[in-house]
């Protein structure tokens, strides 16, 4: 969630301070749902889906550029969450993250 909020600040709001990032969390019996909404620049859903499905770039010990910490956020989201989606409505971009919870006895 922090990674996504950082991306909204960096890319959606182009690092402009004072802009609203709305974060919500709902816990149910079978899942946790996190939403992040903003009114900054939006990310097209096909671009996000491409980023989510991209493999993690392998580190090359001889190439320091491959060690960059940037560019791994969507890979991490996809690996940790069961569903990641984005939508836009009336200028508000909404990210929805779902994590399914294991069944309790």
């Amino acid at each position: 969630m922090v990674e996504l909020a950082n991306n909204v600040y960096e890319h959606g709001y182009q690092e402009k301070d004072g802009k609203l990032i709305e974060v919500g969390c709902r816990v149910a019996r079978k899942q946790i749902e996190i939403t992040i909404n903003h009114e900054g620049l939006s990310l097209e859903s096909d671009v996000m889906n491409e980023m989510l499905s991209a493999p993690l770039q392998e580190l090359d010990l001889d190439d320091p550029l491959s060690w960059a910490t940037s560019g791994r956020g969507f890979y991490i989201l996809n690996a940790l969450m069961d569903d990641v989606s984005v939508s836009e409505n009336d200028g508000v971009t909404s990210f929805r993250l779902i994590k399914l919870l294991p069944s309790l006895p």
Side-chain angles (χ1 to χ4, degrees):
M1 177 177 70
V2 171
E3 175 65 25
L4 187 52
N6 283 336
N7 281 347
V8 168
Y9 173 75
E10 183 179 344
H11 302 291
Y13 288 130
Q14 300 177 328
E15 300 185 15
K16 294 178 184 165
D17 292 340
K19 302 293 185 176
L20 179 66
I21 299 174
E22 180 183 50
V23 178
C25 182
R26 188 175 66 114
V27 180
R29 276 190 85 127
K30 296 183 179 184
Q31 70 181 28
I32 296 173
E33 177 181 342
I34 299 168
T35 56
I36 297 180
N37 304 318
H38 70 90
E39 296 178 355
L41 299 174
S42 65
L43 180 64
E44 299 291 328
S45 61
D46 58 335
V47 172
M48 190 189 89
N49 290 332
E50 183 179 316
M51 293 171 77
L52 285 169
S53 63
L56 183 63
Q57 179 185 359
E58 289 192 35
L59 299 179
D60 180 350
L61 297 178
D62 296 324
D63 180 10
L65 293 177
S66 75
W67 309 347
T69 58
S70 180
R72 293 182 171 82
F74 282 105
Y75 176 85
I76 292 168
L77 281 177
N78 192 44
L80 295 177
M81 304 306 286
D82 293 300
D83 185 54
V84 179
S85 61
V86 63
S87 62
E88 185 178 359
N89 189 18
D90 292 331
V92 176
T93 301
S94 299
F95 289 93
R96 183 171 174 247
L97 314 174
I98 301 287
K99 182 64 181 173
L100 300 176
L101 300 174
S103 298
L104 299 175

